[in-house]
């Protein structure tokens, strides 16, 4: 019998990601890929030139989201990912670009294949919710 908890239970996902150091490596690779990939240019344009704050916020968010220390809440307060991202006109293409960069970063981490698949599936949820929230906020009213 294994002592390993299923992903999504307690801090199992956080541990599988390598803790905060592993998450910072993931985030660094994610933003590097976003910078390098021409197909991610529209996504990159939504960010500040200096990605330092974005890197820290994403790593801190992922820590708590994956069952580890709630670093984002401790440093920045609470956040609703979809509501926060609704300030930008995010469509399905931008969400897919984000997920593609994240998939590339995940592939570079040496995670167990089951965890890599799990993580990308889980990340699709807030990406899709951000698209929905953005579309709701930026929906043009049609004349009656």
């Amino acid at each position: 019998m294994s002592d390993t908890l299923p992903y999504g239970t307690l801090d199992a996902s956080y541990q599988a990601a390598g803790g905060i150091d592993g998450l910072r490596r993931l985030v660094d690779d994610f933003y590097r890929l976003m910078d390098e990939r021409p197909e991610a240019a529209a996504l990159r344009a939504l960010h500040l030139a200096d990605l330092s704050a974005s890197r820290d916020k994403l790593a801190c968010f992922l820590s708590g989201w994956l069952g580890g220390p709630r670093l984002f809440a401790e440093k920045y307060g609470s956040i609703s990912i979809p509501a926060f991202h609704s300030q930008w006109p995010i469509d399905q293409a931008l969400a897919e670009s984000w997920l593609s960069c994240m998939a590339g970063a995940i592939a570079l981490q040496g995670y167990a294949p089951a965890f890599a698949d799990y993580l990308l599936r889980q990340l699709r949820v807030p990406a899709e919710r951000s698209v929905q929230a953005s579309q709701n906020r930026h929906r043009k009213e049609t004349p009656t």
Side-chain angles (χ1 to χ4, degrees):
M1 186 168 151
S2 172
D3 289 338
T4 305
L5 293 171
Y7 303 128
T9 304
L10 300 175
D11 71 346
S13 299
Y14 177 77
Q15 294 301 327
I20 191 60
D21 292 336
L23 290 172
R24 290 200 187 279
R25 285 189 299 273
L26 171 67
V27 167
D28 285 346
D29 284 337
F30 166 77
Y31 282 113
R32 181 181 51 75
L33 291 173
M34 190 175 67
D35 266 338
E36 293 174 355
R37 293 180 172 183
E39 65 272 21
L43 177 64
R44 178 61 176 94
L46 296 176
H47 295 77
L48 297 173
D50 180 358
L51 292 169
S52 300
S54 294
R55 288 174 193 270
D56 187 57
K57 287 179 178 181
L58 181 54
C60 288
F61 172 78
L62 289 173
S63 174
W65 190 68
L66 291 175
R70 300 180 53 82
L71 302 175
F72 189 95
E74 291 171 14
K75 287 180 86 171
Y76 302 106
S78 64
I79 187 172
S80 164
I81 292 297
F84 174 77
H85 288 86
S86 73
Q87 65 187 299
W88 297 286
I90 298 173
D91 60 12
Q92 194 62 45
L94 281 172
E96 291 302 327
S97 181
W98 190 92
L99 287 165
S100 176
C101 290
M102 190 55 80
I106 289 169
L108 294 171
Q109 302 314 302
Y111 294 152
F115 179 66
D117 291 343
Y118 169 84
L119 182 55
L120 194 57
R121 258 191 338 272
Q122 295 305 307
L123 288 167
R124 184 166 288 283
V125 174
E128 293 295 330
R129 289 184 180 158
S130 294
V131 169
Q132 292 168 354
S134 179
Q135 288 176 344
N136 288 340
R137 183 170 179 176
H138 295 279
R139 183 176 290 136
K140 301 225 187 262
E141 293 188 24
T142 54
T144 55

